[in-house]
Amino acid sequence: MNRKALIYDFETLSQDSVNCAVVSMAALVFEMKLLERGEYDYETLLSMTKFQKYNVEDQVKNYNKEIDPDTIDWWQKQGKEAIKKLKPSKDDVPVVESIKLITELILENDIHYVFTRNNTFDPIIVQTTAKAAGIKVPYAWWKIRDTKSFIMGLTYEMDIRDDFIPPGLEDKFIKHDPCHDIVMDVMRLQTILSVKMGE
């Protein structure tokens, strides 16, 4: 069976998953068979990734979402490129578009799994955003998988961190960019799975 998976990641202005204002989201659909065979490359996955940037002012004004000063301080320490991604733009869309995009990707694909990194954060944002908009969460709760737990399970008692960078990708990764965050997680899964499947 060629199972498909969706992975998504939000960048936020608070660590409170229920009340945080959301800056952006990236989402990507990938095939487990191609992953197991090690057929994906970083650039291809990046080109497949969908990205949205959201109107923060609208979230604060109409949904009482919060901007945490400590999180802003943290962002300011991440460098100019990271700060640039926080600036409002005329192209920013309402945060409910995140639910619409995830729904669209699920309807267009036969999604078996929904991956995020740390399942007590990003899936909560989806739940609270969907509830505020009066629409359903677009996937069943039992489809959710956590990339960190997945990696830990496959590498238990091995000296491998869940945020390891696969060989050859050190210069490609851009920190705190949701597109790169999800692509790197997929490449981490591929690196481990392709070895496991070849054993």
Side-chain angles (χ1 to χ4, degrees), residues 22-41:
V22 176
V23 177
S24 59
M25 183 194 75
L28 168 67
V29 173
F30 60 94
E31 298 181 22
M32 296 300 292
K33 278 288 182 200
L34 297 182
L35 205 69
E36 291 164 6
R37 296 198 295 253
E39 293 188 16
Y40 283 120
D41 63 74

Side-chain angles (χ1 to χ4, degrees), residues 3-199:
R3 297 153 295 157
K4 289 185 179 179
L6 169 72
I7 185 170
Y8 65 85
D9 177 58
F10 288 98
E11 296 296 335
T12 69
L13 297 178
S14 166
Q15 294 188 58
D16 182 340
S17 58
V18 174
N19 299 306
C20 63
V22 176
V23 177
S24 59
M25 183 194 75
L28 168 67
V29 173
F30 60 94
E31 298 181 22
M32 296 300 292
K33 278 288 182 200
L34 297 182
L35 205 69
E36 291 164 6
R37 296 198 295 253
E39 293 188 16
Y40 283 120
D41 63 74
Y42 199 86
E43 288 77 12
T44 299
L45 289 172
L46 269 181
S47 71
M48 293 164 53
T49 300
K50 309 292 185 184
F51 173 81
Q52 290 181 333
K53 189 163 176 295
Y54 304 115
N55 186 321
V56 171
E57 184 180 354
D58 174 64
Q59 295 172 59
V60 173
K61 184 177 177 182
N62 297 312
Y63 299 98
N64 297 315
K65 294 300 181 179
E66 299 172 359
I67 298 173
D68 174 49
D70 290 338
T71 303
I72 295 296
D73 288 344
W74 178 86
W75 273 108
Q76 288 175 339
K77 292 171 185 171
Q78 306 312 307
K80 291 179 181 177
E81 285 304 311
I83 287 292
K84 228 191 290 186
K85 294 170 189 167
L86 303 184
K87 290 185 177 178
S89 159
K90 61 179 177 58
D91 298 320
D92 292 353
V93 298
V95 71
V96 71
E97 292 297 323
S98 63
I99 310 299
K100 293 178 181 178
L101 175 58
I102 290 172
T103 302
E104 180 183 307
L105 292 173
I106 286 175
L107 289 175
E108 289 176 354
N109 301 275
D110 183 16
I111 297 296
H112 286 75
Y113 311 118
V114 177
F115 282 96
T116 66
R117 175 169 276 258
N118 298 317
N119 286 341
T120 57
F121 196 77
D122 297 82
I124 306 303
I125 295 172
V126 167
Q127 288 176 342
T128 55
T129 302
K131 185 175 181 180
I135 55 181
K136 283 180 64 176
V137 172
Y139 49 77
W141 61 267
W142 43 264
K143 289 193 173 187
I144 297 176
R145 302 291 188 272
D146 175 17
T147 57
K148 290 176 79 169
S149 299
F150 200 94
I151 291 167
M152 181 181 177
L154 289 171
T155 62
Y156 187 66
E157 292 191 337
M158 298 168 65
D159 188 23
I160 297 177
R161 291 171 52 103
D162 62 66
D163 62 349
F164 77 96
I165 305 295
L169 300 182
E170 297 86 355
D171 296 332
K172 297 180 186 290
F173 184 51
I174 299 175
K175 287 183 178 180
H176 315 306
D177 180 317
C179 297
H180 284 264
D181 285 341
I182 60 175
V183 166
M184 185 57 78
D185 254 354
V186 172
M187 293 302 293
R188 290 179 182 117
L189 297 181
Q190 174 169 275
T191 300
I192 297 166
L193 277 176
S194 58
V195 171
K196 288 284 183 182
M197 298 303 286
E199 288 178 351

